[in-house]
Amino acid sequence: MESTPINEVRRIDDDLYVITETESVHCYVLVGRERALVFDIGYGYEDIRPLVHQITSLPLMLVVSHGDPDHALGCGWFDEVWVHPLDWGKVLANDTYDLRKRAIDYRLHKMPQLKGVIDETAFLSRRIVGTRPHFLYAGDIIELGGVTLEVIHTPGHSYGHIMLLDAKHGRLFSGDQVTVHNVWYFNSSDEQAPFAQAVQSLRSLLARRQEYSSIYPAHDIFPVGHEVIEDQLYCFEHELAETYMDDVPFVSFIGSGYQHRYRTCELIYSDDRLAEWLGHSIERLGAGA
């Protein structure tokens, strides 16, 4: 299985592969008898369709977990994409020259070996406007032929965040919301759902824990287990309120907030989002985030 300097291709099982963009974003390829599905597409620094075609020659369906640029900017390589309607506007809003420039500058600073490998001019000029959206809702079923996926709507990190459940094989593809990687909650409430909705999504996932044993996030290690959901839920409902004063500032090219760690859970949040959750203003020594 050939990879490129930008994208690494790995086989997980006979019907499941992962293409990891720039050592960061996992794009999962699920192969059925009739068609294949790509879940998340990364920034799209290069066209990954040739990599997918070395896995399967079946027709491809692209589904994105949500509209963040590291999951959806690559949509421009595809004619069609499936997404929850609450995040299609986010996909388009992130498709700007400014955001693409900040993204490529950050990546090349972090991975200078990709300078000259990524076509910067093409990346900065590419747009998603020609990609046709199709909308997915909670409970929708996607049939690939021998592989059946249920769409689970999990608002929190994003209002239109979705996961895919493959109950037959005990797999949950969790996007950004369930991961040992940091989960960002520092954007305003018009972009990211309140903590209360994230908590409800986590509770709903735990209520169905018997349907899956392996969780495949979009970042960091995979698979992970139910404990990642349990840790995040306990953090929101108990631990965060008791220890947030110890948290340190976090800065990225997208925005800034505070970094909170509890067991397998890592949250990046703003004081505004925390205050909304706790029901009182947040006061810290020094400037707030």
Side-chain angles (χ1 to χ4, degrees):
M1 198 68 61
E2 293 187 8
S3 299
T4 72
I6 300 172
N7 287 289
E8 180 186 11
V9 184
R10 287 171 285 174
R11 175 187 175 278
I12 299 173
D13 208 334
D14 288 344
D15 64 339
L16 179 60
Y17 296 77
V18 63
I19 300 175
T20 303
E21 182 186 66
T22 58
E23 302 175 358
S24 175
V25 186
H26 302 317
C27 308
Y28 294 101
V29 182
L30 294 89
V31 183
R33 291 190 304 267
E34 300 166 5
R35 59 177 172 166
L37 182 146
V38 179
F39 188 51
D40 283 336
I41 194 60
Y43 284 103
Y45 293 124
E46 70 177 357
D47 185 359
I48 72 166
R49 287 175 299 177
L51 298 178
V52 179
H53 288 151
Q54 71 177 347
I55 296 170
T56 177
S57 60
L58 291 169
L60 300 180
M61 176 182 185
L62 172 63
V63 177
V64 294
S65 60
H66 61 297
D68 281 356
D70 56 330
H71 296 257
L73 272 189
C75 289
W77 292 109
F78 285 71
D79 294 329
E80 300 175 289
V81 62
W82 279 256
V83 61
H84 193 282
L86 291 177
D87 261 36
W88 177 239
K90 191 173 188 178
V91 172
L92 298 177
N94 283 325
D95 189 22
T96 65
Y97 177 91
D98 175 68
L99 192 145
R100 285 177 177 267
K101 186 67 169 68
R102 284 185 282 140
I104 193 71
D105 287 350
Y106 168 81
R107 185 54 53 192
L108 294 178
H109 175 76
K110 190 171 183 178
M111 301 180 71
Q113 70 271 24
L114 295 182
K115 185 75 174 178
V117 176
I118 297 176
D119 187 333
E120 297 179 54
T121 301
F123 175 73
L124 291 172
S125 62
R126 188 175 299 109
R127 290 296 179 268
I128 298 171
V129 65
T131 301
R132 180 186 177 191
H134 302 271
F135 296 137
L136 292 170
Y137 299 87
D140 281 355
I141 300 297
I142 301 170
E143 294 283 359
L144 304 180
V147 177
T148 301
L149 302 167
E150 178 189 343
V151 176
I152 301 179
H153 182 207
T154 54
H157 172 68
S158 184
Y159 280 101
H161 192 284
I162 61 171
M163 301 184 187
L164 298 180
L165 174 65
D166 176 2
K168 177 180 177 180
H169 299 97
R171 301 167 179 158
L172 179 68
F173 298 91
S174 62
D176 268 0
Q177 194 123 328
V178 175
T179 174
V180 299
H181 192 70
N182 54 57
V183 185
W184 291 5
Y185 286 100
F186 55 67
N187 289 330
S188 60
S189 58
D190 62 341
E191 284 192 62
Q192 294 178 317
F195 285 176
Q197 282 192 270
V199 166
Q200 183 56 50
S201 294
L202 294 169
R203 287 175 178 163
S204 297
L205 290 172
L206 277 183
R208 302 184 63 176
R209 62 190 302 164
Q210 293 183 339
E211 298 179 69
Y212 58 91
S213 57
S214 300
I215 302 172
Y216 291 88
H219 300 282
D220 218 302
I221 62 172
F222 65 82
V224 297
H226 300 132
E227 70 278 358
V228 176
I229 304 176
E230 294 168 343
D231 289 347
Q232 198 175 139
L233 190 57
Y234 187 85
C235 176
F236 273 125
E237 294 188 319
H238 303 285
E239 194 269 345
L240 179 60
E242 299 169 358
T243 62
Y244 72 85
M245 290 297 292
D246 298 328
D247 294 342
V248 297
F250 173 92
V251 178
S252 77
F253 73 91
I254 296 293
S256 61
Y258 282 93
Q259 184 178 41
H260 184 87
R261 289 191 173 99
Y262 170 72
R263 295 172 64 96
T264 64
C265 171
E266 182 178 343
L267 303 178
I268 309 297
Y269 65 91
S270 69
D271 278 349
D272 286 345
R273 306 310 301 279
L274 182 61
E276 176 186 59
W277 172 239
L278 297 182
H280 61 75
S281 61
I282 307 300
E283 297 183 4
R284 299 181 190 268
L285 296 176

